[in-house]
Structure formats: C-alpha cells, structure tokens
Amino acid sequence: MNNINTIPSAAQWLGFGGLLPFAATASLALYPALSLNDIATRALLAYGAVILSFLGGVRWGIAIVDKQDTKLLAPLTASVIPALIGWSALLTSPRVGLIILAIAFVLMLVVDLKLSSAPSWYRTLRVPLTVGAVAARGRCAPHGGAELAGGTGRGAHARAAERQRRARTCLTTQGRVPGGDEPRAAHA
C-alpha cells in the first residue's frame, strides 16, 4: 500500500469529508437523553447503507472499464451485493442493521484490498475510511438508543409502553384480555 500522501487531494477531501456524517450521527446517538437520539441512530444506519452502495458502485465502475463483455457478469454481480446488503440492513432493527453494516464494511475492505485493477491510492484510502465508518457504528452501539443497545433510555420505555398499549387494544378487540383466560366482549 502507498503512503497517504500519494492519494489525490480531491479524493482525500471528499473521502475524509464523507466521514463527517458518520461522526455527527454517531455523536448525537451517544446521548440517549437527546430527542435526536433515535433519528441520529437511523440516520447513521441509512448513511452507512448509502456508502456501502457507493462502494459497490466503485466496483461496478472499475469492472466496466477493465473487463470484456463476456467477463462482466461476475464482477457486476459482485458490485450489486453491497447495495443489497445495505438495503437489507435498513429492513432490520437499528442494532442489527449497524452490525450488518460494520461486518459488510470490513468485508468490503478485505475484498477491495485485493482489487488490483483499482489505483493503489484507492486501497490506501479505503483503510482509514473503513476504520472511521466502523468506529462510528461501534461508538453508537453502547449508548445509541435503547433499541440499538438494548438499554433502558427514556425512548425505550415509551416504545415499550406503546407496544403494550397496542397489544392490549388488539387483544381486547379480539375478545381476549391480557392475563385473562376467558374471552370477554370487545369494547365498542
């Protein structure tokens, strides 16, 4: 790998600037008392999914320049996988989604370090950017939102109370009372 000074300045500025949303959302998600905690955690998850898709797009771009038409299927298929992983991470809980993204970022780094058709500076740049992206997710996990960390922040209590209220409503409209064995008439 090359020295970081060999990375073009535009790539450095844009690459390291791309870590700012990770840092900002992870920082906000660290404080469960903030009303922005849940949205910051979800924003961290969404931004991570977008960046993972971007990394797949880089591989797509390298493949179409480097390969013959008959050899495109495998690299193009592989380049779509990060977007699908990012999308699936968005469909899970924030805690699970951030774990999926962290693993995917590390796996993408391992695969990208072997990408001989990319400029060598790209591989050099990917290391600190991956460390930053994964560290943001890691900083968020211990404190970031009760659902994310399994903690008991104010938001977790409110969500749990709302789930219990909905369950009671559902059960009473079906003629059953939570904790009771006998059906009863539904409320009008």
Side-chain angles (χ1 to χ4, degrees):
M1 257 189 293
N2 292 342
N3 183 316
I4 200 155
N5 295 330
T6 63
I7 301 169
S9 61
Q12 284 186 40
W13 278 101
L14 292 170
F16 289 109
L19 289 177
L20 292 176
F22 280 118
T25 55
S27 295
L28 287 172
L30 279 172
Y31 302 102
L34 292 177
S35 61
L36 296 175
N37 177 268
D38 288 338
I39 195 163
T41 301
R42 293 187 188 286
L44 177 62
L45 178 63
Y47 186 67
V50 167
I51 294 301
L52 192 61
S53 294
F54 172 80
L55 294 175
V58 169
R59 294 186 71 82
W60 179 286
I62 290 170
I64 63 173
V65 169
D66 194 44
K67 305 281 187 256
Q68 299 293 328
D69 184 45
T70 57
K71 296 180 182 181
L72 276 174
L73 182 61
L76 291 183
T77 301
S79 73
V80 173
I81 292 171
L84 295 173
I85 292 171
W87 174 66
S88 66
L90 291 172
L91 299 176
T92 66
S93 72
R95 180 176 193 271
V96 172
L98 289 173
I99 291 169
I100 290 169
L101 290 179
I103 293 168
F105 276 120
V106 171
L107 290 175
M108 280 297 295
L109 175 64
V110 170
V111 171
D112 281 353
L113 289 177
K114 298 175 184 175
L115 189 61
S116 61
S117 53
S120 60
W121 61 261
Y122 175 72
R123 293 185 298 278
T124 302
L125 180 63
R126 287 280 290 113
V127 173
L129 296 182
T130 298
V131 168
V134 172
R137 180 258 164 240
R139 282 189 55 183
C140 182
H143 305 288
E147 180 183 343
L148 176 67
T152 58
R154 187 177 65 201
H157 291 299
R159 285 189 299 274
E162 178 62 18
R163 282 192 300 272
Q164 288 175 350
R165 186 194 64 73
R166 286 183 190 159
R168 279 193 302 272
T169 302
C170 178
L171 290 171
T172 57
T173 58
Q174 294 175 0
R176 301 226 179 259
V177 179
D181 295 331
E182 297 297 318
R184 80 169 193 185
H187 295 288

